[in-house]
């Protein structure tokens, strides 16, 4: 039903926005950029308070122009020479908001912003809660302790091979239900499912942050290693292969482990069963040894892999990036949105061709970075731009410590 509904409802998109470049192309002629002034230094929760309604559609550039472009605009704000190809309805639910009535940034605001964009505390402020130092230590300790306990208990006195007393009745009801079989299938399956669910947000974090990690390199990154990376939209096996070929081995391994962890509830739920031991003339719970050995190997691999989830400094950001507004906060004053590469791309292929191809001969012009850049307003901002521009020089990329 969900697939059927999504196929019927139009998204308004011309292609699947899988990468940063796809998202930025939606804002290359937008009138909403000024709404995000100073937002790169804000906490991510402040984005929820924007009282604006934005529209994705085709627009006509200028009252006397027939040029049409596709993107996101604010419908009833001054469009700075742009108008929609669908006239707004006065009775529509869009809230009226005049951008020209906003107070310009004060000198104090500008001074504060210039200090914030250079502050290591702001630059490396955000990590998801489950990857903060205390939680990473907790995950590692819990995983290793549980792994050791599982292995030791399983092999002491050959309990899994010789079986153990179920402590519950093993007889089946008329409907075929056995309390012992249910318990010793449910508990291992539940533990395996928890481990599987723990790995999913970790995997998605490393996928989503890899473009920013590459952009945070002092030498920047080419477009195919940053703006065009689409790991978050790839299938598990696909992302492991693509990341390994690109040299992003941590992303490849963690994505592989997130897929491998799916075997834990499957094996755990079926490896222990009640069996009748003829020599002892009693029913005991024992493991199917071929499945049990596979389960032990996968548990050890998944547990030791928690040692790899500690994020390095380059994977920290000023705030979260789960919404379009949070991503836009890193480019709202960047000249990148006004570069020729983002000027009305006709298709995804056209956009990729422009980004991968070298459009200018300036050194560093085809490399992009995340750091302090000089924006269109002449002030310094924290975000994404070309590593080097003739008119503003090279970006400042922080490499210091959080302290």
């Amino acid at each position: 039903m969900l697939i059927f509904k999504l196929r019927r409802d139009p998204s308004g998109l011309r292609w699947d926005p899988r990468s940063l470049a796809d998202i930025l192309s939606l804002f290359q002629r937008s009138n909403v950029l000024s709404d995000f002034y100073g937002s790169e230094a804000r906490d991510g929760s402040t984005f929820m308070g924007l009282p604006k309604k934005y529209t994705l559609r085709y627009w006509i550039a200028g009252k006397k122009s027939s040029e049409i472009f596709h993107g996101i605009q604010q419908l009833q704000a001054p469009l700075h020479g742009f108008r929609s190809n669908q006239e707004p309805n006065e009775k529509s639910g869009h809230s009226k908001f005049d951008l020209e009535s906003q107070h310009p940034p004060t000198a104090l605001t500008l001074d504060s912003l210039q200090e914030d964009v250079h502050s290591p505390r702001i630059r490396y402020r955000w990590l998801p809660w489950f990857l903060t130092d205390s939680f990473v230590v907790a995950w590692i300790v819990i995983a290793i302790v549980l792994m050791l306990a599982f292995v030791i208990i399983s092999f002491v006195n050959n309990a899994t091979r010789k079986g153990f007393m179920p402590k519950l009745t093993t007889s089946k009801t008329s409907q075929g239900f056995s309390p012992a079989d249910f318990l010793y299938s449910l508990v291992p399956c539940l533990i395996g499912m928890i481990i599987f669910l723990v790995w999913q947000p970790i995997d998605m974090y490393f996928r989503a942050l890899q473009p920013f990690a590459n952009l945070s390199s002092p030498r920047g990154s080419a477009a195919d290693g940053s703006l065009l990376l689409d790991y978050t939209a790839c299938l598990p096996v696909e992302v492991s292969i693509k990341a390994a070929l690109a040299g992003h081995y941590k992303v490849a391994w963690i994505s592989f482990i997130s897929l491998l962890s799916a075997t834990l509830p499957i094996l755990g739920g079926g490896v222990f069963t009640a069996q009748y031991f003829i020599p002892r003339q009693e029913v005991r719970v024992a493991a199917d040894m071929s499945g049990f050995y596979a389960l032990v190997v996968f548990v050890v691999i998944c547990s030791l892999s928690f040692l790899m989830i500690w994020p390095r400094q380059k994977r920290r950001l000023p705030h979260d990036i789960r919404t379009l507004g949070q991503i836009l906060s890193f480019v709202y004053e960047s000249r990148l949105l006004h570069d020729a590469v983002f000027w009305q791309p006709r298709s995804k292929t056209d956009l990729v061709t422009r980004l991968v191809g070298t459009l200018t001969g300036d050194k560093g012009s085809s490399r992009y970075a995340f750091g302090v850049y000089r924006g269109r307003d002449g002030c310094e901002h924290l975000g994404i731009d070309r590593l080097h521009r003739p008119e503003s020089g090279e970006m400042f990329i922080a490499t210091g410590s959080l302290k």
Side-chain angles (χ1 to χ4, degrees):
M1 292 296 294
L2 180 60
I3 295 176
F4 179 74
K5 177 177 173 55
L6 292 177
R7 281 185 174 275
R8 290 188 58 188
D9 292 345
S11 66
L13 296 166
R14 291 189 294 171
W15 64 79
D16 186 11
R18 298 165 62 95
S19 64
L20 288 175
D22 298 326
I23 294 174
L24 299 188
S25 67
L26 298 174
F27 294 94
Q28 47 94 14
R29 300 180 72 170
S30 179
N31 66 349
V32 306
L33 301 179
S34 60
D35 296 353
F36 296 88
Y37 192 88
S39 57
E40 68 266 43
R42 298 182 204 158
D43 182 79
S45 60
T46 60
F47 290 87
M48 304 302 293
L50 287 174
K52 312 294 176 65
K53 291 187 177 182
Y54 303 138
T55 304
L56 172 65
R57 63 173 55 159
Y58 284 94
W59 304 83
I60 299 177
K63 297 180 179 179
K64 298 181 180 180
S65 173
S66 60
E67 182 183 1
I68 297 177
F69 67 95
H70 181 264
I72 295 177
Q73 300 269 358
Q74 188 179 354
L75 190 61
Q76 292 192 348
L79 298 180
H80 305 289
F82 303 144
R83 63 187 177 90
S84 170
N85 62 341
Q86 177 180 341
E87 294 297 330
N89 186 351
E90 292 295 334
K91 297 181 180 180
S92 66
H94 294 283
S95 59
K96 296 183 179 180
F97 190 87
D98 187 359
L99 292 178
E100 295 178 351
S101 67
Q102 294 187 100
H103 297 290
T106 64
L108 179 62
T109 302
L110 292 174
D111 292 341
S112 175
L113 179 61
Q114 302 310 294
E115 294 178 3
D116 288 343
V117 298
H118 286 278
S119 170
R121 181 181 61 84
I122 298 295
R123 168 62 182 85
Y124 303 111
R125 173 174 55 193
W126 177 78
L127 272 177
W129 64 268
F130 51 85
L131 285 178
T132 57
D133 292 346
S134 57
F135 274 95
V136 171
V137 172
W139 299 136
I140 294 173
V141 171
I142 292 172
I144 293 179
V145 168
L146 290 179
M147 176 197 70
L148 293 175
F150 172 67
V151 172
I152 292 172
I153 294 174
S154 298
F155 289 99
V156 169
N157 298 325
N158 287 327
T160 54
R161 183 188 297 273
K162 296 180 180 179
F164 53 90
M165 299 303 296
K167 307 299 183 181
L168 289 172
T169 178
T170 58
S171 59
K172 296 184 178 180
T173 65
S174 59
Q175 289 79 27
F177 175 78
S178 170
D181 284 341
F182 174 76
L183 177 65
Y184 292 105
S185 294
L186 174 66
V187 173
C189 179
L190 180 61
I191 296 175
M193 182 59 70
I194 292 174
I195 296 174
F196 168 73
L197 294 176
V198 166
W199 273 107
Q200 302 316 299
I202 296 174
D203 173 31
M204 191 54 62
Y205 165 81
F206 279 93
R207 292 198 207 185
L209 267 292
Q210 188 59 49
F212 291 92
N214 293 346
L215 290 168
S216 298
S217 169
R219 297 181 56 205
S221 174
D224 57 353
S226 54
L227 299 183
L228 292 174
L229 280 185
D230 59 354
Y231 291 156
T232 55
C234 294
L235 297 174
V237 176
E238 180 187 6
V239 70
S240 296
I241 295 174
K242 290 180 65 173
L245 293 176
H248 305 146
Y249 301 114
K250 178 174 281 191
V251 174
W253 180 256
I254 290 178
S255 182
F256 168 72
I257 293 300
S258 73
L259 178 63
L260 183 69
S261 63
T263 63
L264 299 183
I266 298 173
L267 290 173
V271 74
F272 293 102
T273 56
Q275 303 176 23
Y276 183 73
F277 284 74
I278 298 176
R280 295 175 178 265
Q281 295 294 305
E282 62 185 5
V283 176
R284 302 171 72 89
V285 175
D288 176 79
M289 296 312 296
S290 59
F292 179 74
Y293 288 142
L295 178 62
V296 170
V297 171
F298 293 160
V299 166
V300 171
I301 293 174
C302 290
S303 298
L304 294 180
S305 294
F306 276 100
L307 295 171
M308 295 186 60
I309 69 173
W310 212 305
R312 297 175 60 186
Q313 186 169 277
K314 64 181 181 180
R315 296 184 188 274
R316 291 173 174 261
L317 289 175
H319 55 69
D320 200 352
I321 54 169
R322 72 179 65 189
T323 67
L324 291 178
Q326 290 167 339
I327 294 175
L328 188 60
S329 71
F330 294 134
V331 294
Y332 67 91
E333 279 293 341
S334 174
R335 291 180 171 87
L336 189 62
L337 291 180
H338 300 267
D339 280 353
V341 291
F342 289 106
W343 191 255
Q344 300 187 54
R346 295 183 296 274
S347 64
K348 176 63 177 284
T349 303
D350 182 27
L351 178 62
V352 172
T353 302
R354 296 183 187 186
L355 284 168
V356 175
T358 303
L359 298 181
T360 62
D362 300 321
K363 182 180 179 181
S365 63
S366 60
R367 299 188 71 82
Y368 306 87
F370 184 91
V372 179
Y373 65 89
R374 190 162 295 279
R376 293 176 292 110
D377 61 352
C379 299
E380 291 182 328
H381 297 272
L382 181 61
I384 304 171
D385 199 359
R386 289 187 182 270
L387 178 63
H388 175 82
R389 290 185 180 276
E391 64 272 22
S392 57
E394 191 159 315
M395 291 179 62
F396 173 78
I397 302 175
T399 57
S401 64
L402 182 59
K403 297 180 180 180

